[in-house]
Amino acid sequence: MTMPPSATGRLVIVSGPSGAGKTTVLRRVFEAATAPLLPSVSATTRPPRPGEIDGVDYHFLSEQEFNARCARGEFLESFEVFARGYWYGTLKTEVASGLGAGKWVVLEIDVHGAAAVMEQYPSAISIFVQPSSIEELKRRLRGRGTETEEAIRRRLAQANEELRFAHRYRHQVINDDMDHAVQEICDILNREAEADRDAR
Ligand code: 5GP
């Protein structure tokens, strides 16, 4: 007996400089999208910011635990995101369980992690969220009020580096208007879902 093809999970990779507003845009996309989106909870050695919850925002790990899990091959990708800073990584279990359940697993990761995942999952939907300008990025990072000047300086250097990777993504979205950026990402996801249906 031939079974009808079931809905398959997809990987959605979202990157963009810290301060480009991608976390806020994504939060709204999660509310508005029709695709069954599921956020992948990354692991990090960074300490939690006020209000962040372990297992929800990140799996907050000690460096020792992070290294041990890395050595056991538990990460799909892991990178030290800011020079002399903290480690971040995508756990294989987060991705496998979501994809197995037919979800669209969303990875909000840096450009190096994204490159590693794109190599392993060439059909991943990749989206780069651009700030409208570097000046706007500076304003947002300062306005956040959670970072020291040194951390902001490092994030800006990182942002300039990340912008050089934008062309590697299948889709680029400029976040100059929040509503527009949210709509654009929802449209991208809808088009991908249509293409999936046509392929079946
Ligand atoms: P934050 O410390 O502000 O939460 O995140 C800093 C940066 O780490 C962001 O650019 C975010 O995309 C990246 N990041 C978060 N999780 C992961 C991950 O699992 N892997 C990689 N490579 N980068 C991540």
Side-chain angles (χ1 to χ4, degrees), residues 14-18 22 42-43 46 49 52 58 77-79 81-82 88-90 108-110 112-114 144 147 155 162:
V14 183
S15 305
S18 172
K22 67 181 184 298
S42 294
R46 160 167 90 57
R49 296 195 185 109
E52 285 186 329
Y58 281 103
E77 57 79 30
S78 66
F79 282 89
V81 172
F82 302 111
Y88 295 79
T90 306
E108 188 192 334
I109 61 179
D110 88 312
H112 301 291
R144 208 190 241 177
E147 316 283 339
R155 278 177 191 261
E162 297 223 357

Side-chain angles (χ1 to χ4, degrees), residues 136-154:
E136 174 62 13
L137 193 64
K138 279 185 195 160
R139 205 184 57 72
R140 287 203 192 140
L141 281 176
R142 296 221 158 85
R144 208 190 241 177
T146 56
E147 316 283 339
T148 62
E149 267 305 310
E150 166 61 14
I152 290 172
R153 202 191 52 72
R154 259 191 288 147

Side-chain angles (χ1 to χ4, degrees), residues 134-184:
I134 284 285
E135 274 59 44
E136 174 62 13
L137 193 64
K138 279 185 195 160
R139 205 184 57 72
R140 287 203 192 140
L141 281 176
R142 296 221 158 85
R144 208 190 241 177
T146 56
E147 316 283 339
T148 62
E149 267 305 310
E150 166 61 14
I152 290 172
R153 202 191 52 72
R154 259 191 288 147
R155 278 177 191 261
L156 281 173
Q158 180 76 19
N160 278 317
E161 166 73 11
E162 297 223 357
L163 288 170
R164 299 198 355 243
F165 284 75
H167 68 280
R168 297 192 185 188
Y169 290 69
R170 244 199 255 176
H171 307 278
Q172 273 128 45
V173 172
I174 298 175
N175 183 22
D176 48 3
D177 175 89
M178 179 76 71
D179 290 339
H180 188 242
V182 170
Q183 189 56 52
E184 227 182 294

